[in-house]
Amino acid sequence: MTTAPMRKDAARNWQRIAEVGRRLVDEGSPLHLNEVARLASVGVATVYRHFPTPEALMEAVATPGLEALVTRAEQALAEDDVWRALTGFLHSTMDAQLTDPSITAVRSAPRNVLPHTTELTTTLDTLAAHLLTRAHTAGIVREEITWEDLRPLMCGIAYAANIHTEDQQERLESGRRYLAVTIRGMRP
């Protein structure tokens, strides 16, 4: 079943709400939907109609970043150098988590609320697991390491890098350094 396209005014409201959500997430502010409505200059009911929960808004904000990570994983699977493909993907994932706080929030959440987010995260996890399986087959990653191990470690690294500094560049440097330690530990 397909859904009807949004009316132009509804689409504009959705866009304004999503832009306010993006700004609040980037500032590290909580997504209180009443406040989002005020900042977007729309009615509270309009916000709740588009995003019934703060989690739904967070997932909408994270969608472009998650889509980019899926694309990056697909590109990595097409690379011939298995180690470079895996580590390049992990570095891209870490950079995304450290520059877009919505990605870590969505990836560390116990469940998704939007079907599209579930689809994206499932696809991302499947592709990442394939990258890891290729590395296992090539004998360049310890067999006992699974994507179920690495996914929470990636969120943990992002968390650790984020709590030590407000400076974006310092966070990236710390996260990359912590990831390098993790990557070294993956070798047989």
Side-chain angles (χ1 to χ4, degrees):
M1 181 166 111
T2 59
T3 59
M6 271 194 258
R7 293 184 337 253
K8 287 184 181 181
D9 63 326
R12 274 191 309 272
N13 287 340
W14 188 98
Q15 187 62 41
R16 278 200 312 230
I17 296 163
E19 287 169 0
V20 167
R22 169 88 270 163
R23 188 174 79 238
L24 291 172
V25 167
D26 289 343
E27 292 171 356
S29 300
L31 292 177
H32 298 296
L33 296 183
N34 289 1
E35 179 66 6
V36 170
R38 186 184 69 73
L39 293 170
S41 300
V42 298
V44 172
T46 299
V47 172
Y48 280 91
R49 190 169 31 259
H50 289 290
F51 303 102
T53 65
E55 293 81 11
L57 179 54
M58 180 68 79
E59 289 180 19
V61 168
T63 294
L66 292 171
E67 290 170 342
L69 284 174
V70 167
T71 299
R72 177 62 184 99
E74 291 168 342
Q75 292 166 345
L77 279 170
E79 291 180 33
D80 291 331
D81 185 325
V82 176
W83 180 250
R84 193 171 132 202
L86 175 63
T87 60
F89 170 73
L90 293 176
H91 280 283
S92 294
T93 299
M94 183 54 52
D95 285 356
Q97 287 182 286
L98 292 172
T99 57
D100 183 350
S102 67
I103 292 176
T104 299
V106 169
R107 294 296 282 158
S108 63
R111 64 188 170 337
N112 304 124
V113 295
L114 301 177
H116 185 59
T117 306
T118 300
E119 177 185 319
L120 285 171
T121 58
T122 299
T123 300
L124 185 57
D125 288 339
T126 300
L127 294 170
H130 286 317
L131 283 166
L132 195 55
T133 298
R134 284 179 55 196
H136 287 145
T137 301
I140 57 176
V141 169
R142 293 174 26 202
E143 283 293 324
E144 69 271 17
I145 297 172
T146 67
W147 181 243
E148 290 75 30
D149 297 326
L150 283 179
R151 189 180 69 213
L153 278 173
M154 296 294 286
C155 289
I157 291 169
Y159 176 78
N162 277 317
I163 63 169
H164 294 296
T165 182
E166 295 280 326
D167 182 73
Q168 178 71 33
Q169 190 57 40
E170 287 181 34
R171 281 196 307 261
L172 283 168
E173 289 168 7
S174 294
R176 290 171 182 158
R177 197 170 52 253
Y178 303 157
L179 179 59
V181 170
T182 301
I183 288 172
R184 280 193 298 276
M186 293 168 51
R187 289 290 212 172

